[in-house]
Amino acid sequence: MTTRNYEAMFILENNAASADFDGTAGKVDEILEKHGGTIVQKDKWDERKLAYEIKGQRRGTYYLVYMTADPASVSSMYEDLHLTEVVLRFMFIALDKPIEEHIATTEAERERLAEDSRRSSLGWGGGRRGARGAPRKRDDKPTGSAETGSAEGGDKPAEATTEAKADDSAPATSGEKPAGDDGAAGTPEKEAASKS
Amino acid sequence: MPSSSKLKNLRKLLKKQSERNKCRFTRARVYSIDYKDVATLQKMVSQQGKMYGRKRTGTRSHFQRKLKRAIKRARFMALLPYVGR
C-alpha cells in the first residue's frame, strides 16, 4: 500500500462549528480515519466571512488537517464528505514533501513574503504610478518654497490621478504607505538626477 | 557634464529601481505559493478579483504559474472571490 501526504481543508457550517467545534470536526476526522487515513495534525484554521455564499452560508469555519493516506482511498473519502451536511466544501492537496517540512517551509515563506512587502517601497507588484505618486506628494510640500511655481503646477494633475487610482484599487493604497518611508529618502536623489 | 557624485546617485537610484522591478517571489526566495496566504494573493488580484498580468507585477513566469494555481485554490475555498467584491 502506498501512502501519500495530504493537506485537507474543510469549510464547516458555522452554526454547528461555533456551537460544538470538536463535535463537528470529529465527524470529519471519523470519515478520514474510517477510510484508512492517519491524521498527523489538525487545527481550527480560522472563522471568517466567505468570499461568496456557499449553500446559503455567508460565514464559515475553516478546518485544516494534515494526514497520510492511500491515494486509492481518497475517492471514497470524497463520496462520504459530499454526503456530510456540516461540510460546506473541502479540498485535498497532495504534498510533495514530508508534512513537518511542508508546514515549516510554508510558514517561513509566508513570513518572508510579508517582510518583503513591508520593506518594499512598492508594497505591491510593479505599480509604477503608485510608487512615483506617493513620494512626489510628500516632497512637494517642503521643497515647494524653494522650487518655482511651475514645478508645482506640473505635479498637481499627476497627484490627482494617483489618488483616483488609489481609490479604485485597494492594493495601491496599501502600497503607498511603505512607499512613503523609502520615498522620502529617495527624493533628494531623484532631484539630483533630474538636474543633471 | 554631471559631477561624479551625481552620477553615483543616479546609479544608486537605477540599482534601487531594478531591485524593485524584480518578482516579489524571487526576492523572498519562495519555493511554492500557498493558497492560504490571502494577504499576498490579494495583492496580485484586482478589486474585481481578476489576476494582474506579469507586465504589471513583474512576476517571473515560473511563479506566475504557481500563483495561478494558488489563486484558483483560494477561490474554490471562498478565500478570494471569483468575481466582484
Side-chain angles (χ1 to χ4, degrees):
Chain A
M1 189 182 103
T2 53
T3 56
R4 201 170 277 176
N5 298 323
Y6 289 97
E7 176 184 312
M9 175 88 104
F10 304 88
I11 306 180
L12 304 177
E13 209 226 342
N14 210 23
N15 295 332
S18 58
D20 175 21
F21 178 75
D22 292 333
T24 40
K27 281 183 193 168
V28 174
D29 297 347
E30 229 171 68
I31 292 168
L32 299 182
E33 275 162 358
K34 193 174 88 187
H35 294 286
T38 40
I39 294 170
V40 178
Q41 191 179 321
K42 50 184 179 179
D43 294 302
K44 180 183 175 181
W45 186 64
D46 201 1
E47 192 273 309
R48 54 157 57 217
K49 196 176 166 226
L50 304 176
Y52 48 88
E53 274 184 29
I54 302 177
K55 293 180 187 165
Q57 301 284 320
R58 290 175 183 278
R59 298 186 72 83
T61 306
Y62 286 78
Y63 180 48
L64 184 65
V65 174
Y66 291 95
M67 63 163 189
T68 57
D70 180 15
S73 72
V74 169
S75 63
S76 52
M77 286 178 195
Y78 273 34
E79 280 170 21
D80 269 11
L81 286 165
H82 276 303
L83 295 172
T84 316
E85 285 191 1
V86 288
V87 178
L88 298 181
R89 193 163 281 195
F90 62 91
M91 178 167 71
F92 284 49
I93 291 175
L95 306 176
D96 54 358
K97 281 182 189 170
I99 288 169
E100 283 78 24
E101 197 187 328
H102 174 82
I103 295 171
T105 49
T106 47
E107 186 58 35
E109 283 171 3
R110 176 194 303 242
E111 272 166 28
R112 260 182 272 144
L113 275 170
E115 172 63 27
D116 178 74
S117 63
R118 238 179 285 134
R119 201 177 38 197
S120 163
S121 53
L122 288 178
W124 61 285
R128 297 185 185 112
R129 295 172 195 121
R132 266 187 211 160
R136 265 187 200 173
K137 218 180 281 176
R138 291 213 172 175
D139 68 299
D140 261 13
K141 280 163 200 166
T143 55
S145 55
E147 294 290 325
T148 52
S150 63
E152 262 186 34
D155 274 353
K156 264 182 185 163
E159 267 178 42
T161 52
T162 50
E163 269 170 325
K165 287 267 154 47
D167 279 336
D168 59 39
S169 65
T173 44
S174 64
E176 284 194 2
K177 277 163 210 161
D181 309 353
D182 231 70
T187 43
E189 290 170 14
K190 256 185 197 171
E191 277 176 16
S194 63
K195 274 175 200 166
S196 64
Chain B
M1 276 297 282
S3 69
S4 64
S5 70
K6 277 179 183 171
L7 266 179
K8 211 186 267 173
N9 278 339
L10 186 63
R11 270 196 210 108
K12 222 175 175 182
L13 180 72
L14 285 175
K15 196 183 167 192
K16 208 175 186 180
Q17 280 184 341
S18 69
E19 187 74 11
R20 273 181 198 162
N21 292 342
K22 263 188 206 162
C23 163
R24 66 164 63 221
F25 302 105
T26 314
R27 255 187 278 139
R29 302 189 311 284
V30 158
Y31 171 76
S32 65
I33 301 173
D34 187 17
Y35 70 95
K36 298 191 293 301
D37 190 358
V38 184
T40 302
L41 297 182
Q42 214 125 43
K43 285 172 191 154
M44 313 306 282
V45 140
S46 77
Q47 188 83 51
Q48 298 256 304
K50 285 171 84 174
M51 199 173 159
Y52 283 138
R54 294 213 290 127
K55 285 188 180 174
R56 177 154 184 169
T57 57
T59 312
R60 299 272 166 97
S61 66
H62 176 79
F63 287 113
Q64 187 77 355
R65 274 179 270 128
K66 296 206 165 196
L67 183 67
K68 172 185 73 181
R69 198 180 303 153
I71 287 176
K72 285 179 179 179
R73 281 173 177 172
R75 279 179 184 162
F76 180 70
M77 293 312 281
L79 299 170
L80 289 180
Y82 278 101
V83 66
R85 192 154 299 187

